[in-house]
């Protein structure tokens, strides 16, 4: 499912226009992104938790050449599925 298909499903379920649904989805994603940038987590009970994780700097090997490459430390987004989501998919 791509974003436009998701917007259509939201519009059908919420009985609103696709424009309104698109604005709601964009707003949700923007809020989650801003909270993660601040280092805060977003917990949606029953669905899951969005948070950040720090990755240490290190050295990896380039699989093509075999040469070592230094990788800088990074902060990455992370999603952990909630129990209800896990149970509904299984």
């Amino acid at each position: 499912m791509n974003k436009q298909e998701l917007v259509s499903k939201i519009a059908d379920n919420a009985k609103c226009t696709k424009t309104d649904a698109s604005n709601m989805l964009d707003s949700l994603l923007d809020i989650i992104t801003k909270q993660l940038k601040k280092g805060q987590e977003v917990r949606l009970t029953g669905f899951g938790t969005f948070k950040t994780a720090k990755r240490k700097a290190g050295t990896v090997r380039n699989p093509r050449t075999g040469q070592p490459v230094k990788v800088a430390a990074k902060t990455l987004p992370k999603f952990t599925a909630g129990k209800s989501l896990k149970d509904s998919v299984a």
Side-chain angles (χ1 to χ4, degrees):
M1 175 180 287
N2 63 29
K3 185 176 178 182
Q4 289 307 316
E5 293 168 342
L6 181 58
V7 166
S8 293
K9 294 279 187 186
I10 292 170
D12 291 343
N13 286 350
K15 295 179 177 57
C16 65
T17 65
K18 287 184 181 180
T19 302
D20 290 340
S22 180
N23 288 340
M24 287 186 275
L25 180 59
D26 289 340
S27 179
L28 173 69
L29 297 175
D30 186 50
I31 290 167
I32 291 171
T33 302
K34 285 180 180 177
Q35 292 303 308
L36 292 177
K37 281 183 181 179
K38 292 179 185 177
Q40 298 177 345
E41 70 177 35
V42 178
R43 186 178 308 244
L44 303 173
T45 304
F47 183 72
T49 304
F50 296 90
K51 55 187 169 185
T52 57
K54 295 188 184 227
R55 185 177 74 186
K56 295 179 183 178
T59 303
V60 297
R61 292 209 175 270
N62 181 335
R64 192 176 299 167
T65 64
Q67 297 295 319
V69 177
K70 290 186 179 185
V71 178
K74 259 187 182 180
T75 301
L76 301 169
K78 183 177 178 183
F79 175 74
T80 304
K83 184 176 180 349
S84 297
L85 179 60
K86 288 179 189 176
D87 291 345
S88 68
V89 174

